[in-house]
């Protein structure tokens, strides 16, 4: 069995190595056009087991799949428990395994939407759901419910943004607009420019923030042109999501550097994921790697009780123990806040509650 997998992964890497040397590989539109959106396209993957392929298909029918060739190229095909594979390939546990307390929308975001596409849960911050597209659909995403609702953000995008801007302009307590999704950088450069301009005009908006995973899943999206646009809207903060050291590649580092050179600080909101980064060694390498590329570890999120994500959940103690061990062992700049999102109210700081 292992030799078959080894051969297959060798032939996959040949395919990827061929592409990696081409201009196309560095073109983000090519990456999206050539993304793998169907488990059966992973034909090289079959011999891993018919069960596994069936499970992937089952999960994929419920939660869509899309993986850029770039992100897939980071996977180690000799390791069935590879952390990149776990994050991007559908898994039967998404549909077959669930805990009693999980729900589609554990953070109750739908209840805090005064208008479609705007989550106003914290008094001074408003979160705009810009699009429901992402470069890679992370299997652990807590907005999984949102992916399949194609007509929610696609139709009348501009009208919808104008309605949101109108709401925000009438709410003077809001000082920060956070663009989330989906992934806001799936929008075109022109659309991004228009959108940032629309909110920049509101006099009580002091800062804007973009939440995007493309530096990790599609780093070529961070083009010089995009950076020139973004730099005009400072103060602009950028949060991305690195979950494993294997994601800190040359390409990802360069993407973050382009943002930083445009005057945009980059932070990471890492998610604590079982089998991906729920051990001290991996987490320490990840956090130190982030410091090295000057991406500030901002939050470490406890994985939420989201339907279809339960197999990634760790208990509260895992995160607390990891952070307790890292604290004092390495630079404070490497230490994120361990937080848990609450259905009502604020993000809750986890651990080190007393003493
Ligand atoms: C996390 C979150 C924010 C931002 O919170 P910070 O603690 O400032 O990062 C804003 N709105 C919603 C709905 C959120 O879930
Ligand atoms: S990029 Fe973000 S919003 Fe998109 S699937 Fe991944 S975690 Fe979810």
């Amino acid at each position: 069995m292992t030799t078959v997998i080894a051969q297959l992964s060798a032939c996959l890497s040949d395919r990827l190595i061929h592409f990696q040397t081409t201009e196309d590989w560095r073109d983000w539109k090519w990456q999206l056009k050539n993304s793998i959106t169907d488990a059966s396209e992973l034909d090289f993957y079959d011999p891993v087991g018919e069960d596994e392929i069936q499970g992937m298909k089952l999960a994929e029918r419920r939660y869509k799949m899309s993986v850029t060739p770039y992100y897939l190229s980071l996977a180690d095909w000799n390791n069935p428990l590879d952390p990149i594979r776990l994050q991007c390939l559908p898994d039967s546990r998404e549909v077959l395994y669930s805990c009693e307390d999980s729900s589609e929308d554990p953070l109750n975001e739908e209840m805090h939407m005064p208008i479609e596409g705007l989550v106003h849960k914290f008094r001074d911050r408003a979160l705009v759901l810009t699009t429901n597209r992402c470069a890679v659909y992370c299997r652990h995403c807590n907005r999984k419910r949102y992916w399949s609702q194609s007509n929610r953000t696609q139709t009348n995008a501009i009208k919808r943004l104008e309605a949101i801007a109108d709401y925000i302009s009438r709410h003077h307590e809001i000082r920060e607009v956070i663009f989330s999704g989906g992934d806001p950088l799936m929008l075109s450069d022109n659309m991004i420019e228009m959108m940032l301009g629309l909110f920049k005009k509101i006099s009580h908006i002091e800062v804007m923030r973009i939440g995007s995973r493309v530096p990790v899943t599609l780093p070529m999206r961070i083009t010089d042109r995009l950076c020139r646009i973004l730099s005009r809207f400072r103060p602009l903060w950028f949060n991305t999501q690195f979950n494993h050291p294997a994601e800190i590649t040359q390409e990802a580092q360069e993407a973050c550097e382009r943002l930083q050179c445009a005057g945009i600080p980059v932070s990471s909101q890492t998610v604590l994921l079982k089998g991906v980064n729920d051990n001290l060694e991996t987490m320490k390498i990840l956090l130190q790697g982030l410091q090295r590329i000057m991406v500030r570890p901002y939050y470490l999120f406890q994985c939420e009780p989201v339907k279809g994500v339960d197999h990634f959940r760790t208990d509260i103690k895992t995160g607390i123990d990891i952070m307790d061990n890292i604290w004092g062992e390495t630079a404070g700049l490497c230490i994120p806040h361990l937080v848990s999102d609450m259905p009502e109210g604020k993000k809750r700081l986890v651990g080190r509650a007393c003493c």
Side-chain angles (χ1 to χ4, degrees):
M1 190 61 150
T2 32
T3 52
V4 179
I5 297 170
Q7 278 166 15
L8 283 159
S9 63
C11 100
L12 172 75
S13 22
D14 279 352
R15 233 165 70 185
L16 291 174
I17 285 164
H18 163 71
F19 281 124
Q20 277 164 352
T21 58
T22 66
E23 262 307 305
D24 284 345
W25 185 264
R26 291 184 285 276
D27 173 358
W28 66 276
K29 289 181 178 159
W30 181 91
Q31 288 281 339
L32 288 180
K33 214 178 315 156
N34 287 280
S35 285
I36 290 92
T37 54
D38 179 344
S40 60
E41 284 177 69
L42 296 168
D43 46 359
F44 59 87
Y45 197 72
D46 270 341
V48 173
E50 196 46 37
D51 282 357
E52 194 165 353
I53 274 285
Q54 290 309 328
M56 279 169 69
K57 286 185 177 155
L58 196 66
E60 190 193 313
R61 272 202 293 276
R62 174 79 185 81
Y63 301 110
K64 68 176 161 188
M65 162 187 190
S66 191
V67 193
T68 55
Y70 164 79
Y71 194 70
L72 207 59
S73 76
L74 308 184
D76 172 3
W77 294 96
N78 295 315
N79 176 9
L81 300 176
D82 174 68
I84 301 292
R85 281 165 61 170
L86 286 175
Q87 288 184 76
C88 69
L89 299 186
D91 183 313
S92 60
R93 287 173 296 180
E94 292 173 42
V95 283
L96 300 179
Y97 174 79
S98 80
C99 301
E100 275 193 3
D101 62 341
S102 66
S103 76
E104 300 273 342
D105 179 23
L107 310 182
N108 252 327
E109 290 186 330
E110 302 284 342
M111 275 185 40
H112 292 89
M113 269 196 208
I115 42 177
E116 187 58 44
L118 176 79
V119 186
H120 189 193
K121 195 163 135 182
F122 304 122
R123 201 182 130 73
D124 68 344
R125 283 151 290 171
L127 192 136
V128 181
L129 302 175
T130 53
T131 166
N132 55 5
R133 291 179 56 216
C134 295
V136 170
Y137 292 101
C138 314
R139 308 324 296 176
H140 56 270
C141 179
N142 65 23
R143 294 216 184 94
K144 260 180 150 159
R145 68 175 192 285
Y146 201 61
W147 298 350
S148 52
Q149 304 172 7
S150 55
N151 54 0
R152 273 183 74 167
T153 54
Q154 245 80 330
T155 49
N156 279 324
I158 296 178
K159 269 216 168 68
R160 217 173 42 83
L161 285 172
E162 283 170 351
I164 292 172
D166 178 59
Y167 173 93
I168 292 177
S169 67
R170 287 183 285 106
H171 286 259
H172 292 258
E173 72 276 20
I174 299 174
R175 56 179 289 277
E176 177 171 8
V177 180
I178 302 167
F179 300 98
S180 181
D183 199 311
L185 297 192
M186 286 295 94
L187 302 173
S188 68
D189 287 358
N190 290 348
M191 186 69 181
I192 291 167
E193 187 172 18
M194 192 284 287
M195 181 174 79
L196 293 173
L198 195 62
F199 293 90
K200 180 85 177 170
K201 279 203 310 240
I202 303 171
S203 58
H204 55 271
I205 294 307
E206 296 170 25
V207 283
M208 297 195 283
R209 195 195 307 184
I210 287 178
S212 163
R213 212 179 175 207
V214 304
V216 179
T217 55
L218 181 66
M220 35 305 263
R221 173 67 186 100
I222 310 293
T223 59
D224 290 334
R225 181 170 191 266
L226 177 69
C227 289
R228 275 197 301 277
I229 294 173
L230 298 182
S231 70
R232 300 206 333 262
F233 295 97
R234 298 170 68 221
L236 181 66
W237 296 77
F238 196 106
N239 270 346
T240 188
Q241 185 196 125
F242 282 92
N243 294 333
H244 191 273
E247 294 168 345
I248 306 179
T249 61
Q250 184 70 25
E251 287 96 330
Q253 172 172 2
E254 286 169 8
C256 294
E257 219 164 81
R258 285 192 289 276
L259 288 165
Q260 292 154 354
C261 288
I264 299 158
V266 184
S267 312
S268 174
Q269 309 196 126
T270 299
V271 189
L272 182 60
L273 299 169
K274 190 188 265 178
V276 174
N277 58 19
D278 63 335
N279 65 80
L280 181 60
E281 195 51 28
T282 306
M283 189 57 78
K284 199 160 152 183
I285 296 171
L286 171 66
L287 297 176
Q288 291 179 340
L290 291 176
Q291 190 198 15
R292 212 171 48 242
I293 63 166
M294 296 209 301
V295 171
R296 174 79 160 103
Y298 173 48
Y299 281 152
L300 176 61
F301 275 108
Q302 182 72 29
C303 188
E304 303 304 331
V306 181
K307 267 216 163 31
V309 175
D310 285 323
H311 58 290
F312 284 113
R313 286 168 70 183
T314 62
D315 54 24
I316 291 273
K317 198 171 170 307
T318 307
I320 295 177
D321 285 350
I322 291 175
M323 293 320 297
D324 271 352
N325 276 296
I326 292 180
W327 179 248
E329 284 282 303
T330 192
L333 277 174
C334 298
I335 315 275
H337 284 303
L338 177 62
V339 293
S340 165
D341 256 321
M342 294 283 110
E344 302 301 329
K346 305 195 168 62
K347 288 188 171 60
R348 188 166 62 105
L349 274 175
V350 182
R352 306 201 138 256
C354 54
C355 331

